[in-house]
Amino acid sequence: MKKFPEGFLWGGATAANQFEGGWNEGGKGWSVSDVARAHFDADVKDYSKHVSITTKDIEEGLAHPEDEVNYPKRHGSDFYHHYKEDIALMAEMGFKTYRMSIAWSRIFPNGDDLEPNEEGLKFYDDVFDELLKYGIEPLVTMSHYEPPLNLVLNYDGWYSREVIGFFTRFVETICTRYKNKVKYWLTFNEVDSMIRHPYTTGGLVEDRFEGKNFEEVIFQAMHHQFVASALATKICHEIIPDSKVGCMLTKLTYYPYTCKPEDVLAAQQKMRSTYAYSDTQVFGEYPAYLLSYFKNNNINIVKEADDDRIMKEYPVDFISFSYYMSSCEAADKTGLDVTPGNTILAVKNPYLETSQWGWQIDPLGLRISLVELYDRYRKPLFIVENGLGARDELTEDKEVHDQYRIEYLKKHFECMLDAIVEDGVDLMGYTSWACIDLISESTKQISKRYGYVYVDIDDYGNGTYNRYRKDSFYWYKKVIENNSLDFE
Ligand code: BG6
C-alpha cells in the first residue's frame, strides 16, 4: 500500500479577500478587493476586463458602500460570521492544516496607521484558537491580494518604498501577537502575479502613472515586495525561532507545442520567466536572465544600498505554489487554439481535457512541476493551491454529487505520490483550493466552485449562506484518514 509520508500536512486553503466577508465590520478598512467590481457579462477569457481597474472605478466603488452585488468580495462566503462552523467542518474532514490569509486592512485599516486595530487582532486570535482546539495547524499568508486601499490612493501602492515599512510593521505585529499559535507562514501570495494583475497584487493603478513606463513601475513594486518578503522572513524567524517561512508562486507549467527546436526554446523561455520570481526569493538574488531582460527593455530598478544584502541574507525556508493546469507554448502561434488558464491565455494542448472555464486538466503536469521545482531548489515544497473550479448542483436533498472533482483530485494525488515515492520529492503537504466555496479571484463568480463544502449563495449574493457537504467531502476525509488512496 502506497502511503503519503508520516505527518503529511493535508488540508485546505482560502484567502480573506475572497472568503472572509465582514468587509466593513470590526474596524476593518477598505482593501483593494473591496472595490474590485465583477463583470458578470464579460467573457471568462477576457482577463484584462476582469482584472483591470481605473481610479474612476475605485471612486465608484467607494461611493457605493451598500453595493455587495457588484462587489462580491465584500461578502465573500461570510467566514467572518461562520468561522466556528467552517472550522468544525474542516476538523470533520480531518484537516491537519488550514491555509488562510490575514486581511492587512483588518489589522491596519489604512495600512499606514501607527497602532493596530485590536478588534481585528482579536478576530484572528479567535480563529487560531478554534483551529488549535481541533489540532489544526494554521498556515498563514501575510498578503493575499488585499493591500489596504489607502496605500493605493495616497502612496501608489507597492511602487512606493514607504510601503515596505508599513508592511514590516504589520508583520511584526502579527508575528508578535500570534507567536504561540502560528508556525507556518507565507509572505506574498503569487508574487509573480503582479505582472498579470498589478492592481490586486501590488495596488498599482495604471492611470496614476502617466508618462512612466508601466512595466518598470511593476518591477519596481515587485522589487519592494522582494525586499519586504526578505525582511518578513527575518522578522518572523527572530520573533518565532521555530517558524518556517515560504514563498508562494503560480506554477504555470508550459510544454513545447511540438518538438521543433523553436518551440522548445519558446517554452523554455516561458518557463524561465515564470521561475524568475521564485529564483529571486529562494537564491536571494535576481537571476541573470531577469537582469538581462531589465537591461534589454530599459527597465531601471531603484534600489537602496542594503537591498541586495537583505535579499541574500533572508531567503525563504520552503517553496509553496499553486498548480491548476498546464499550457503549451509555440514560437509561432498563428492558427493555434488558445484557451484560458490561471489569469493567462495560452496555446491549447490537444491531449488534455479542459475544465468548464477552459483550464487544461493535467495531473501529470503536477508531477512534472514537483520534480522541476525540487531539482531546481532542493528545498521542501508545499502545494498550497490545487483544485477544480466547476458548476455544482445542489439537489433537493441538499447534496452535491461532484464525482468529477473526486476524479480530478484523485489523479492529482496519484501523481503527488509518484513524485514523493518514485522521484524523491520532499513534499510537506497539500492544501486544496478552496476547501469551502468562495468568490473566484479572476471572474468574481461563486458559481465557479472549488470546495468540498457548498455555500448556498449565487453570483449575486442571494441565498442562505448555509453550508452543505459535497460527495468530495466524504472522499477527502477518507484520503486523510488513511493517508493513502488505497481505501476503496
Ligand atoms: C490562485 C489565487 O492563483 O488561483 C487564488 O491565489 C485564486 O486567489 C485561484 O482564487 C483560482 O483562481 P480563480 O480565478 O478561479 O479564483
Side-chain angles (χ1 to χ4, degrees):
M1 193 202 305
K2 271 196 196 167
K3 281 208 158 226
F4 285 87
E6 183 107 3
F8 191 74
L9 290 166
W10 287 108
T14 63
N17 81 95
Q18 292 158 261
F19 189 51
E20 199 170 273
W23 70 283
N24 56 0
E25 292 179 59
K28 182 181 170 298
W30 291 88
S31 90
V32 297
S33 291
D34 299 329
V35 291
R37 194 190 171 99
H39 298 282
F40 293 120
D41 298 339
D43 190 325
V44 294
K45 274 191 189 163
D46 193 355
Y47 279 129
S48 56
K49 176 87 186 164
H50 290 292
V51 305
S52 68
I53 193 154
T54 62
T55 303
K56 199 159 161 275
D57 295 331
I58 294 177
E59 285 163 1
E60 175 91 13
L62 283 169
H64 294 284
E66 75 298 342
D67 184 352
E68 297 204 348
V69 174
N70 290 301
Y71 300 93
K73 289 181 167 188
R74 291 180 181 175
H75 57 72
S77 302
D78 200 25
F79 177 72
Y80 193 68
H81 297 108
H82 288 76
Y83 72 91
K84 287 196 176 166
E85 181 187 351
D86 289 346
I87 293 170
L89 286 162
M90 295 174 199
E92 193 181 327
M93 278 186 274
F95 278 21
K96 311 288 179 215
T97 189
Y98 168 47
R99 176 185 173 218
M100 53 178 277
S101 68
I102 292 182
W104 185 355
S105 59
R106 198 174 281 296
I107 309 300
F108 288 97
N110 303 294
D112 61 355
D113 318 71
L114 293 177
E115 295 302 325
N117 167 34
E118 176 55 33
E119 221 177 325
L121 286 168
K122 167 85 172 56
F123 170 67
Y124 293 109
D125 259 326
D126 294 346
V127 169
F128 296 143
D129 288 344
E130 197 67 16
L131 288 166
L132 296 170
K133 179 172 116 186
Y134 294 105
I136 302 174
E137 188 91 49
L139 162 62
V140 175
T141 319
M142 295 169 176
S143 178
H144 192 137
Y145 303 157
E146 54 225 332
L149 191 60
N150 174 53
L151 299 183
V152 176
L153 300 176
N154 288 307
Y155 296 87
D156 281 332
W158 276 94
Y159 182 67
S160 158
R161 175 107 204 163
E162 264 182 287
V163 173
I164 300 180
F166 301 143
F167 183 73
T168 51
R169 185 185 299 157
F170 164 64
V171 173
E172 250 182 78
T173 306
I174 56 176
C175 286
T176 307
R177 178 77 172 219
Y178 306 125
K179 65 174 182 241
N180 297 321
K181 302 184 182 179
V182 183
K183 211 163 87 180
Y184 294 100
W185 298 85
L186 305 177
T187 56
F188 292 93
N189 184 64
E190 296 180 340
V191 76
D192 52 284
S193 64
M194 181 103 70
I195 307 276
R196 301 185 299 279
H197 37 82
Y199 170 70
T200 339
T201 310
L204 307 175
V205 180
E206 191 163 0
D207 63 55
R208 300 177 67 89
F209 296 96
E210 240 169 72
K212 289 205 166 77
N213 169 355
F214 195 52
E215 199 186 8
E216 186 175 79
V217 168
I218 291 174
F219 278 112
Q220 183 66 58
M222 207 190 279
H223 175 73
H224 292 150
Q225 287 201 344
F226 286 143
V227 175
S229 173
L231 288 171
T233 307
K234 172 181 187 279
I235 293 168
C236 201
H237 284 158
E238 282 170 1
I239 300 177
I240 318 171
D242 60 342
S243 61
K244 298 265 176 264
V245 186
C247 61
M248 163 31 170
L249 85 135
T250 323
K251 185 69 189 74
L252 296 170
T253 296
Y254 288 90
Y255 304 137
Y257 186 66
T258 72
C259 52
K260 254 195 303 189
E262 288 80 358
D263 284 352
V264 177
L265 179 66
Q268 187 189 53
Q269 287 183 336
K270 199 82 187 173
M271 287 302 293
R272 266 184 133 193
S273 73
T274 69
Y275 281 133
Y277 318 104
S278 42
D279 281 2
T280 307
Q281 288 183 293
V282 177
F283 300 134
E285 61 191 17
Y286 285 102
Y289 54 92
L290 192 53
L291 295 175
S292 308
Y293 182 82
F294 290 166
K295 196 164 155 220
N296 299 335
N297 292 279
N298 204 19
I299 291 171
N300 297 300
I301 306 291
V302 179
K303 288 185 188 174
E304 282 197 358
D306 262 359
D307 287 2
D308 287 341
R309 181 190 58 77
I310 291 169
M311 283 164 63
K312 192 77 196 170
E313 270 181 34
Y314 308 105
V316 289
D317 302 316
F318 66 95
I319 295 104
S320 81
F321 65 96
S322 61
Y323 174 86
Y324 293 92
M325 26 63 59
S326 68
S327 311
C328 289
E329 180 67 358
D332 178 3
K333 301 192 187 96
T334 322
L336 298 180
D337 274 355
V338 160
T339 194
N342 192 359
T343 53
I344 56 159
L345 288 179
V347 175
K348 196 164 180 319
N349 186 332
Y351 299 101
L352 297 178
E353 286 175 17
T354 58
S355 75
Q356 289 162 329
W357 270 260
W359 297 21
Q360 306 188 87
I361 301 173
D362 183 15
L364 259 188
L366 177 58
R367 179 172 175 184
I368 294 167
S369 301
L370 283 164
V371 170
E372 271 175 3
L373 286 169
Y374 195 58
D375 284 357
R376 192 175 188 99
Y377 298 127
R378 299 188 183 191
K379 285 200 178 187
L381 305 179
F382 206 138
I383 301 168
V384 294
E385 285 188 34
N386 167 248
L388 179 71
R391 284 183 208 286
D392 292 333
E393 196 196 321
L394 186 68
T395 66
E396 277 186 11
D397 304 333
K398 309 294 182 206
E399 290 177 347
V400 177
H401 303 303
D402 57 343
Q403 190 56 35
Y404 39 89
R405 183 167 292 110
I406 295 175
E407 287 306 313
Y408 174 101
L409 294 167
K410 190 170 175 211
K411 288 185 186 146
H412 283 76
F413 292 178
E414 281 164 0
C415 289
M416 268 156 56
L417 250 188
D418 286 342
I420 297 168
V421 177
E422 313 289 335
D423 306 321
V425 168
D426 180 0
L427 184 61
M428 297 164 69
Y430 172 94
T431 58
S432 50
W433 187 266
C435 44
I436 300 178
D437 291 344
L438 45 62
I439 310 298
S440 152
E441 162 50 31
S442 54
T443 61
K444 303 173 189 70
Q445 304 161 286
I446 197 169
S447 53
K448 187 180 189 187
R449 295 177 183 273
Y450 285 91
Y452 300 112
V453 174
Y454 185 95
V455 177
D456 180 31
I457 47 167
D458 66 14
D459 284 340
Y460 310 98
N462 304 309
T464 60
Y465 285 80
N466 285 344
R467 275 61 171 152
Y468 298 105
R469 295 166 186 79
K470 303 183 192 176
D471 288 356
S472 56
F473 177 100
Y474 302 102
W475 179 82
Y476 194 45
K477 178 175 161 55
K478 280 198 215 145
V479 173
I480 300 178
E481 226 165 62
N482 292 279
N483 204 24
S484 161
L485 296 169
D486 296 328
F487 54 81
E488 286 163 326

